[in-house]
Amino acid sequence: MDTTAILLLHCPDRQGIISEITKFITDNQGNIVYLDQYVDKCEGMFFMRIEWELNNFLVPREKIRDYMDTLYAQRYQMEFSLYFSDKRPRMAIFVSKMSHCLYDLLARWKTGEFACDIPCIISNHEDLRYVADQFGIPFHVWSIEKDHSNKAEVEAAELELLHKENVTFIVLARYMQIISDDMIAEYPHHIINIHHSFLPAFIGAKPYHQAFERGVKIIGATSHYVTADLDAGPIIEQDVVRITHKDTPDSLVLKGKDLEKIVLSRAVSKHIERKVLTYKNKTIIFS
Amino acid sequence: MDTTAILLLHCPDRQGIISEITKFITDNQGNIVYLDQYVDKCEGMFFMRIEWELNNFLVPREKIRDYMDTLYAQRYQMEFSLYFSDKRPRMAIFVSKMSHCLYDLLARWKTGEFACDIPCIISNHEDLRYVADQFGIPFHVWSIEKDHSNKAEVEAAELELLHKENVTFIVLARYMQIISDDMIAEYPHHIINIHHSFLPAFIGAKPYHQAFERGVKIIGATSHYVTADLDAGPIIEQDVVRITHKDTPDSLVLKGKDLEKIVLSRAVSKHIERKVLTYKNKTIIFS
Amino acid sequence: MDTTAILLLHCPDRQGIISEITKFITDNQGNIVYLDQYVDKCEGMFFMRIEWELNNFLVPREKIRDYMDTLYAQRYQMEFSLYFSDKRPRMAIFVSKMSHCLYDLLARWKTGEFACDIPCIISNHEDLRYVADQFGIPFHVWSIEKDHSNKAEVEAAELELLHKENVTFIVLARYMQIISDDMIAEYPHHIINIHHSFLPAFIGAKPYHQAFERGVKIIGATSHYVTADLDAGPIIEQDVVRITHKDTPDSLVLKGKDLEKIVLSRAVSKHIERKVLTYKNKTIIFS
Amino acid sequence: MDTTAILLLHCPDRQGIISEITKFITDNQGNIVYLDQYVDKCEGMFFMRIEWELNNFLVPREKIRDYMDTLYAQRYQMEFSLYFSDKRPRMAIFVSKMSHCLYDLLARWKTGEFACDIPCIISNHEDLRYVADQFGIPFHVWSIEKDHSNKAEVEAAELELLHKENVTFIVLARYMQIISDDMIAEYPHHIINIHHSFLPAFIGAKPYHQAFERGVKIIGATSHYVTADLDAGPIIEQDVVRITHKDTPDSLVLKGKDLEKIVLSRAVSKHIERKVLTYKNKTIIFS
């Protein structure tokens, strides 16, 4: 496949936006390979993902952003992101002690399912170094004190590594620590977490035990972007599995692990493909 | 099918309970047609549903309760309920203005799917009288004032009717009023409600709007026994349906209606079949 | 809501179709309230559903078809259907003896969920006349002989009624007869059937018994347009429910009935909203 | 946990079997930790899984089989299997070129989710040797000629290895070869396959392409025991995922891979826990 440009945008809904932008691309001999749009009637907002081949495109790639800005963004109060398919996202994975999500991510990446690089895996424990080693990915450990006394220091070191490695987004693959607001601010809507419940039910610690106590008949998992509010960021993907009164907290954990890894990997996949757009704490997921 | 006795019981788990009770029934020439049991290891509790034909059973039907009590209940600290299949439950349905759950219940009842009687439908509005009329069921309206000033009075009248009609359980088929503690106390774990969210998410009013605001990717419905705590009683059944960013509050309501009626009817069906056992705010659902 | 025009079209994919058509509508002061499009890369085909308000639209409503034909259809090898929101579809329901799908359709229709008229219900048995009576809809019975000796005659009478009542589409709500090719030819892709299996598994008679024999862990239901090939027409909607070894043929029938009615009603709803497009024995379902 | 004995049995249904067997275990001071039973009314058959601690059990472990045989099996025409929890199953995995199922199995095994040994992975291609190496498991390759001229020879070599390694069951983790009847006869109902469709739909080759051609709205995966009839053995587990007209054969493959690995691993887990009983080409799955 040729290199493509990917444009994600949103603006107040007005007639003619699609036709203008598709005309601009077509007139400049860009071959559109993907177009999906969505109008949120409640908010009066227009959202679009459009992708075209750069091969014969008359506008030089380094000028596209300027053109978009001048021609449309200002006129339509448009916000947009522009990506190029040959510029691969760089993912850092944060883990603690459980391996199921990490294995699932790495197995997909190894077989080419994720078009991204993984320059580093970061943890507060040594436990999963062997998994990183199996896949030949550098594994960095910074231990966080129980009283969090060194947390700022650890995050500073982590951020230094993330910057050095040009990490573009972070995946918390059952990382059991809360990320500070400062770190979130460095990666706004670019940190993906997996929470082991169908949010907003069972926010916080030990959701399977909460679910067991409540006697629910269905458990779930939720992948979302991390924001300053705990477990309250924009939801990317959720899924559930049916349980019965015969399930114990242990069997819930086991069943939940399958949900968690699939739901997290689906979200990571959508993010890598630049098919997630966020607006007002919600996501638009293009198919 | 012959008339059967149905025994639902629970007690602290001890070896030999199953074999004793099955032996008692078999020795008295009862033909066991259903047996399912479950041990909750966490609580150390034993639960059983057993059903046998009364045809040649040597213990007279009116003595079975005494025998159970004397032989087992006291010895094993057992609590039990005893039902006979020819004594049909009598269901009262409470509704407000939405017809989907009511139609689903009545259509099933009409075709014999529910082995129960429906002596009355009760509402605080006239809106659904035509549905009751379609099925020839008495429809009673007691209007509740906005300030709830006449609520105690209305509930007293309702209870009088329920008693007169020998109602054994109540179904709140999208009845938008809160039932008072006094009325709940008259029908403990015998009032079934449908809540239009996957509880414990979105407790209280307008759950679809809450779901829309939160941006979830899945919505649900929950049927549960009503207790004094709002939307917090033992859950009988839940189900969910996948939604997307394209859904509006209106389309959530529409999709949710299908969930609500199916989830409520499944719970009602299990209750009528005496396959629900409650313990410590949870349900054991026999299959 | 104002009266709208709804255009469903497909043609070989070429740049600029969206922008041309949206420009045509916008230039003529039509307010677009819905636009969704899809490109099938394998087939090289473009599909679109577009809906706009007729209020201030400069092209007279009776001329729109001509304009579309002249301006676009010939040039783009386009096939299209044009509907107006104030011209309600007219649905005939065919039934045999089971009431669950019929009740579900009529209950939705009664509450305004289906924007269609139902001029008649047709059956080969008297069994469900009482349901039609409950909803005040004319019920017509033509008995079909076991040897089908009078089938041509019956279908001729049915077609006469359908034409007289200006029926625009037919719903087979567990109608247990096979529709002849002649009748199908009168309503191409306008007869919706519900088959009680996840097609293409268990084609033909008694699918639940087939499912029981095979020992599947999931059963399903499929709504599809009827074509000359039995149970092989374009699939509109499917859904499934989990079962276990404890299920009997009877319990499969019971669980399946819930699937059937929901899956059929979803298909009917999409059809009424003109959100189904068929191409080469498949459906495109607009959301 | 103490070592336990696990008894799986079935016989024609008769009163008193449960009570006799539980009494036998209890009288001999065995502590029952699991009991589940099921009566198939259609077949008139009784099925049970019972597990008890051997700690203080008065019958020596090597005599239990004899006792069962003498006391019950002959009298009740009972067939039974007896396992001990400290005798771990030994699993051989057969693979071809796709890694997703293999990774999922090995990642679970590595974290202790599967209480089994994996003495060998067998393939007809070198492609996945690196995965076996990552987990330190011997990888054996026997290339099968396109004309299958050496197939008998290869299977003989494979069987020799399986015997040498005391393999107790085989998992075909997307192994693209058909197993010969001779090999199946060596492991009756002990070879688990994953088929990438909801059987019995889309038997045979390229099921996702078949699904795409048919235009289904749901795809599935099925794990089953291999028998001499292709894709027709007893089904252990199935699951499905919803698709739309937007899916391509490629995206079906991608979505299907998630189903396949989860459905296969669930079946393997149930098999390892000795919770699968087969009867007349169906499975009873204990929970």
Side-chain angles (χ1 to χ4, degrees):
Chain A
M1 194 175 168
D2 284 322
T3 300
T4 57
I6 298 157
L7 184 66
L8 283 168
L9 63 86
H10 65 271
C11 60
D13 187 29
R14 270 171 48 189
Q15 296 290 337
I17 302 175
I18 299 177
S19 74
E20 276 208 49
I21 291 179
T22 55
K23 192 168 178 309
F24 165 72
I25 295 169
T26 309
D27 285 355
N28 287 290
Q29 299 182 23
N31 182 36
I32 296 171
V33 293
Y34 181 101
L35 185 159
D36 207 358
Q37 103 297 341
Y38 162 65
V39 176
D40 183 331
K41 300 272 176 196
C42 305
E43 299 282 347
M45 292 296 288
F46 173 81
F47 301 86
M48 186 161 78
R49 184 189 188 277
I50 189 162
E51 184 173 358
W52 68 97
E53 290 172 339
L54 290 177
N55 208 14
N56 300 308
F57 195 52
L58 297 180
V59 183
R61 136 182 205 159
E62 65 279 8
K63 292 273 176 71
I64 299 174
R65 187 177 302 274
D66 276 359
Y67 271 63
M68 281 305 304
D69 204 44
T70 313
L71 289 173
Y72 306 108
Q74 295 170 19
R75 206 163 98 221
Y76 288 111
Q77 300 166 265
M78 185 185 287
E79 290 180 46
F80 72 90
S81 307
L82 181 69
Y83 303 99
F84 298 103
S85 65
D86 57 1
K87 193 110 190 270
R88 288 159 68 92
R90 292 174 67 78
M91 165 167 70
I93 307 175
F94 281 56
V95 297
S96 282
K97 296 185 172 179
M98 272 178 294
S99 65
H100 57 292
C101 287
L102 181 60
Y103 264 128
D104 202 64
L105 291 167
L106 296 181
R108 287 171 201 266
W109 171 75
K110 185 81 180 174
T111 55
E113 204 175 298
F114 289 159
C116 74
D117 301 322
I118 307 178
C120 57
I121 298 169
I122 291 172
S123 185
N124 51 334
H125 297 288
E126 284 291 339
D127 301 57
L128 298 184
R129 181 179 294 279
Y130 75 96
V131 184
D133 287 352
Q134 282 181 307
F135 289 83
I137 296 171
F139 188 78
H140 307 264
V141 174
W142 282 279
S143 223
I144 295 173
E145 300 295 327
K146 284 236 164 115
D147 63 1
H148 289 189
S149 57
N150 68 336
K151 188 163 177 181
E153 193 183 327
V154 163
E155 286 202 345
E158 288 169 346
L159 273 174
E160 195 186 327
L161 176 68
L162 296 174
H163 292 153
K164 203 192 82 187
E165 295 289 2
N166 296 314
V167 163
T168 59
F169 76 109
I170 295 168
V171 174
L172 309 181
R174 297 300 311 276
Y175 179 63
M176 307 300 281
Q177 299 288 322
I178 289 171
I179 304 292
S180 76
D181 291 2
D182 289 349
M183 194 149 175
I184 294 168
E186 294 263 342
Y187 286 94
H189 290 187
H190 279 74
I191 305 176
I192 300 173
N193 185 42
I194 179 72
H195 185 77
H196 38 315
S197 81
F198 50 86
L199 287 175
F202 310 130
I203 286 172
K206 290 192 168 285
Y208 293 128
H209 288 78
Q210 292 183 52
F212 178 77
E213 282 309 312
R214 181 61 188 91
V216 293
K217 300 300 185 189
I218 281 173
I219 57 168
T222 305
S223 52
H224 63 96
Y225 287 121
V226 175
T227 60
D229 291 331
L230 182 65
D231 299 334
I235 292 171
I236 307 169
E237 169 69 344
Q238 299 187 291
D239 211 344
V240 298
V241 70
R242 194 165 275 278
I243 62 167
T244 77
H245 60 267
K246 295 188 181 177
D247 280 289
T248 60
D250 283 353
S251 73
L252 295 192
V253 168
L254 216 54
K255 288 183 177 178
K257 283 164 72 176
D258 283 358
L259 283 180
E260 294 161 25
K261 70 185 186 190
I262 300 293
V263 167
L264 178 59
S265 286
R266 281 188 198 145
V268 168
S269 181
K270 284 291 182 189
H271 183 91
I272 290 172
E273 295 171 359
R274 284 93 176 208
K275 290 189 169 169
V276 188
L277 218 160
T278 56
Y279 181 72
K280 284 198 172 180
N281 211 43
K282 294 193 198 179
T283 60
I284 287 95
I285 310 285
F286 291 105
S287 61
Chain B
M1 196 175 165
D2 284 323
T3 300
T4 56
I6 298 158
L7 185 65
L8 283 168
L9 64 85
H10 66 270
C11 59
D13 187 30
R14 269 171 50 188
Q15 295 292 335
I17 301 174
I18 299 177
S19 74
E20 277 207 50
I21 290 178
T22 56
K23 193 170 177 308
F24 166 72
I25 294 168
T26 310
D27 285 354
N28 287 291
Q29 300 182 22
N31 182 35
I32 295 171
V33 293
Y34 181 100
L35 185 158
D36 205 359
Q37 103 297 340
Y38 162 64
V39 177
D40 182 331
K41 299 273 175 196
C42 304
E43 299 281 348
M45 291 297 287
F46 173 82
F47 301 86
M48 185 159 79
R49 184 189 189 279
I50 189 162
E51 183 173 359
W52 68 97
E53 290 171 339
L54 290 177
N55 208 14
N56 301 307
F57 196 52
L58 299 180
V59 182
R61 137 182 203 159
E62 65 278 10
K63 291 275 176 71
I64 299 175
R65 188 177 303 274
D66 276 359
Y67 271 63
M68 280 307 304
D69 203 46
T70 314
L71 289 173
Y72 306 108
Q74 295 170 19
R75 207 162 98 223
Y76 288 112
Q77 301 165 263
M78 185 186 288
E79 290 180 44
F80 71 91
S81 308
L82 180 69
Y83 304 99
F84 297 103
S85 64
D86 57 3
K87 193 109 187 274
R88 288 160 68 94
R90 291 173 67 80
M91 166 166 69
I93 307 177
F94 282 55
V95 296
S96 282
K97 296 184 173 182
M98 271 177 295
S99 65
H100 57 292
C101 288
L102 181 60
Y103 265 128
D104 202 64
L105 292 167
L106 295 182
R108 288 171 200 267
W109 171 76
K110 184 83 179 170
T111 55
E113 205 175 297
F114 290 158
C116 75
D117 300 322
I118 308 179
C120 56
I121 299 171
I122 292 172
S123 184
N124 51 334
H125 298 287
E126 285 290 340
D127 301 56
L128 299 184
R129 183 180 293 278
Y130 75 94
V131 184
D133 287 351
Q134 280 182 309
F135 290 84
I137 297 171
F139 188 78
H140 307 262
V141 174
W142 283 278
S143 223
I144 295 173
E145 302 294 328
K146 281 239 164 112
D147 63 0
H148 288 189
S149 57
N150 68 336
K151 188 165 179 180
E153 192 184 327
V154 163
E155 285 201 344
E158 288 168 347
L159 272 174
E160 196 186 325
L161 176 70
L162 297 174
H163 291 153
K164 201 192 85 189
E165 294 289 1
N166 295 315
V167 163
T168 60
F169 76 109
I170 295 168
V171 174
L172 308 181
R174 297 301 310 278
Y175 180 62
M176 307 302 280
Q177 299 288 324
I178 289 171
I179 305 293
S180 77
D181 291 4
D182 288 349
M183 193 150 176
I184 295 168
E186 295 264 341
Y187 286 94
H189 288 187
H190 279 72
I191 304 174
I192 301 174
N193 185 41
I194 179 72
H195 184 77
H196 38 314
S197 79
F198 50 86
L199 289 174
F202 310 128
I203 286 172
K206 290 193 167 281
Y208 293 129
H209 289 78
Q210 292 183 52
F212 178 76
E213 282 309 312
R214 181 60 188 93
V216 293
K217 300 299 184 189
I218 281 172
I219 57 168
T222 305
S223 52
H224 63 95
Y225 286 121
V226 175
T227 59
D229 292 330
L230 181 65
D231 298 334
I235 292 171
I236 306 169
E237 170 69 344
Q238 299 186 290
D239 211 342
V240 298
V241 70
R242 193 166 278 277
I243 60 167
T244 77
H245 61 269
K246 295 187 182 177
D247 280 290
T248 60
D250 283 353
S251 72
L252 295 192
V253 168
L254 215 54
K255 288 184 177 177
K257 282 164 73 176
D258 283 357
L259 283 179
E260 292 160 27
K261 71 185 185 189
I262 299 293
V263 167
L264 178 60
S265 287
R266 281 188 198 145
V268 169
S269 181
K270 285 290 183 189
H271 183 91
I272 290 171
E273 296 171 358
R274 284 91 176 209
K275 289 189 168 170
V276 187
L277 218 160
T278 56
Y279 182 73
K280 284 196 174 179
N281 211 44
K282 293 192 200 179
T283 59
I284 287 92
I285 310 285
F286 291 106
S287 61
Chain C
M1 196 175 167
D2 284 323
T3 300
T4 56
I6 298 158
L7 184 65
L8 283 168
L9 64 86
H10 67 270
C11 59
D13 187 29
R14 269 170 50 189
Q15 296 292 336
I17 301 174
I18 300 178
S19 75
E20 277 207 47
I21 291 178
T22 56
K23 194 170 177 308
F24 166 72
I25 295 168
T26 309
D27 285 355
N28 287 290
Q29 299 183 23
N31 182 35
I32 296 171
V33 293
Y34 181 100
L35 185 158
D36 205 0
Q37 101 298 340
Y38 162 64
V39 177
D40 183 331
K41 299 272 176 197
C42 304
E43 299 281 348
M45 291 297 287
F46 174 81
F47 301 86
M48 186 160 78
R49 184 189 188 278
I50 189 162
E51 184 173 358
W52 68 98
E53 290 171 340
L54 289 177
N55 209 14
N56 301 307
F57 196 51
L58 298 180
V59 183
R61 136 183 206 161
E62 64 277 9
K63 291 275 176 70
I64 299 175
R65 188 178 303 274
D66 276 359
Y67 271 63
M68 281 306 303
D69 204 45
T70 314
L71 289 174
Y72 306 108
Q74 294 170 21
R75 205 162 100 223
Y76 287 112
Q77 301 165 264
M78 185 185 288
E79 292 181 43
F80 70 92
S81 307
L82 180 70
Y83 304 99
F84 297 104
S85 64
D86 57 2
K87 192 111 189 273
R88 288 159 69 93
R90 292 173 68 79
M91 165 166 71
I93 307 176
F94 282 55
V95 296
S96 283
K97 297 184 172 181
M98 271 176 296
S99 65
H100 57 292
C101 288
L102 181 60
Y103 264 128
D104 202 63
L105 292 167
L106 296 182
R108 287 171 201 268
W109 171 75
K110 185 82 180 171
T111 55
E113 204 175 299
F114 290 158
C116 73
D117 300 322
I118 308 180
C120 56
I121 298 170
I122 292 172
S123 184
N124 51 334
H125 298 288
E126 284 290 341
D127 300 57
L128 299 185
R129 182 179 293 280
Y130 74 95
V131 184
D133 287 351
Q134 281 181 309
F135 290 84
I137 296 171
F139 188 77
H140 306 263
V141 174
W142 282 279
S143 221
I144 295 173
E145 301 294 327
K146 282 238 162 113
D147 63 0
H148 289 190
S149 57
N150 68 336
K151 188 165 178 178
E153 194 184 325
V154 163
E155 285 201 345
E158 289 169 347
L159 273 174
E160 196 186 325
L161 176 68
L162 297 174
H163 291 154
K164 200 192 86 189
E165 293 289 3
N166 294 316
V167 163
T168 60
F169 77 109
I170 294 168
V171 174
L172 309 181
R174 297 301 310 278
Y175 180 63
M176 308 302 280
Q177 300 288 322
I178 289 171
I179 304 293
S180 76
D181 291 3
D182 288 349
M183 193 150 175
I184 294 168
E186 294 263 342
Y187 286 94
H189 289 187
H190 278 74
I191 304 175
I192 300 174
N193 185 41
I194 179 72
H195 185 76
H196 38 313
S197 79
F198 50 86
L199 288 175
F202 310 129
I203 285 172
K206 290 191 166 282
Y208 293 129
H209 289 78
Q210 293 182 52
F212 178 76
E213 282 308 311
R214 181 59 188 92
V216 293
K217 300 300 185 189
I218 281 173
I219 57 168
T222 304
S223 53
H224 63 96
Y225 287 121
V226 175
T227 59
D229 292 330
L230 181 65
D231 299 335
I235 292 170
I236 307 169
E237 170 67 345
Q238 300 187 290
D239 210 343
V240 298
V241 70
R242 193 166 277 277
I243 61 167
T244 77
H245 61 268
K246 295 187 181 177
D247 280 289
T248 61
D250 283 353
S251 73
L252 294 192
V253 167
L254 216 54
K255 289 184 177 178
K257 281 164 72 177
D258 282 358
L259 283 179
E260 293 161 25
K261 70 185 185 191
I262 299 293
V263 167
L264 178 59
S265 287
R266 282 188 198 146
V268 169
S269 181
K270 284 291 183 189
H271 183 90
I272 290 171
E273 295 171 0
R274 284 93 175 206
K275 290 190 167 170
V276 187
L277 217 161
T278 56
Y279 182 74
K280 283 197 174 179
N281 211 44
K282 292 193 199 179
T283 59
I284 287 92
I285 310 285
F286 291 105
S287 60
Chain D
M1 196 177 166
D2 284 323
T3 300
T4 56
I6 298 158
L7 185 65
L8 283 168
L9 63 86
H10 66 270
C11 60
D13 187 29
R14 270 172 49 189
Q15 296 290 339
I17 302 175
I18 299 178
S19 74
E20 277 208 48
I21 290 179
T22 56
K23 193 170 179 307
F24 165 72
I25 294 169
T26 309
D27 286 354
N28 287 290
Q29 299 180 23
N31 182 36
I32 296 171
V33 293
Y34 181 102
L35 185 158
D36 206 0
Q37 102 297 341
Y38 162 64
V39 177
D40 183 332
K41 299 272 175 196
C42 304
E43 299 281 348
M45 292 296 289
F46 173 81
F47 301 86
M48 186 160 78
R49 184 187 187 279
I50 188 162
E51 184 173 357
W52 68 97
E53 289 172 340
L54 290 176
N55 208 14
N56 301 308
F57 196 53
L58 297 179
V59 182
R61 127 183 212 161
E62 65 279 6
K63 292 275 176 70
I64 299 173
R65 187 178 303 274
D66 276 359
Y67 271 63
M68 281 305 304
D69 204 45
T70 314
L71 289 173
Y72 306 107
Q74 295 170 19
R75 207 163 99 223
Y76 288 111
Q77 300 165 266
M78 184 185 288
E79 289 180 48
F80 71 91
S81 307
L82 180 69
Y83 303 99
F84 298 103
S85 65
D86 58 2
K87 193 109 190 272
R88 288 159 68 93
R90 291 174 67 79
M91 165 167 68
I93 307 175
F94 282 54
V95 296
S96 283
K97 296 184 172 181
M98 272 176 295
S99 65
H100 57 292
C101 287
L102 181 59
Y103 264 126
D104 201 65
L105 291 167
L106 296 182
R108 286 171 200 267
W109 170 75
K110 185 81 180 174
T111 54
E113 203 175 299
F114 290 159
C116 74
D117 300 322
I118 308 179
C120 57
I121 298 169
I122 292 172
S123 185
N124 52 335
H125 298 288
E126 284 290 340
D127 301 56
L128 298 184
R129 181 179 294 279
Y130 75 95
V131 183
D133 287 351
Q134 281 181 309
F135 289 84
I137 297 171
F139 188 79
H140 306 264
V141 174
W142 282 280
S143 220
I144 295 173
E145 301 294 328
K146 283 238 162 114
D147 63 1
H148 289 188
S149 58
N150 68 337
K151 188 165 177 179
E153 193 184 326
V154 162
E155 285 202 344
E158 288 169 347
L159 273 174
E160 197 186 325
L161 175 69
L162 297 174
H163 292 153
K164 202 193 84 187
E165 293 289 1
N166 294 315
V167 163
T168 59
F169 77 110
I170 295 168
V171 174
L172 309 182
R174 296 300 311 276
Y175 180 63
M176 307 301 281
Q177 299 288 323
I178 289 171
I179 305 293
S180 77
D181 291 2
D182 288 350
M183 195 149 173
I184 294 168
E186 294 263 343
Y187 286 93
H189 289 187
H190 278 73
I191 305 176
I192 300 173
N193 185 42
I194 179 71
H195 185 76
H196 38 315
S197 80
F198 50 85
L199 288 174
F202 310 129
I203 286 172
K206 289 191 168 282
Y208 293 129
H209 288 77
Q210 293 183 53
F212 178 76
E213 282 307 313
R214 182 60 188 90
V216 293
K217 300 300 185 188
I218 281 173
I219 57 168
T222 305
S223 53
H224 63 96
Y225 286 121
V226 175
T227 60
D229 292 330
L230 181 65
D231 299 334
I235 292 171
I236 307 168
E237 169 69 344
Q238 299 186 292
D239 211 342
V240 298
V241 71
R242 194 166 277 276
I243 61 167
T244 77
H245 61 268
K246 295 189 181 176
D247 280 289
T248 61
D250 283 353
S251 73
L252 294 192
V253 167
L254 215 54
K255 289 184 177 178
K257 283 164 72 176
D258 282 358
L259 283 180
E260 294 162 25
K261 70 185 186 191
I262 300 293
V263 167
L264 178 59
S265 286
R266 281 188 198 146
V268 168
S269 181
K270 285 290 182 188
H271 183 91
I272 290 171
E273 294 170 0
R274 284 93 175 207
K275 289 189 168 170
V276 188
L277 217 160
T278 56
Y279 182 72
K280 283 200 173 176
N281 211 45
K282 293 192 197 179
T283 59
I284 287 93
I285 310 285
F286 291 105
S287 60

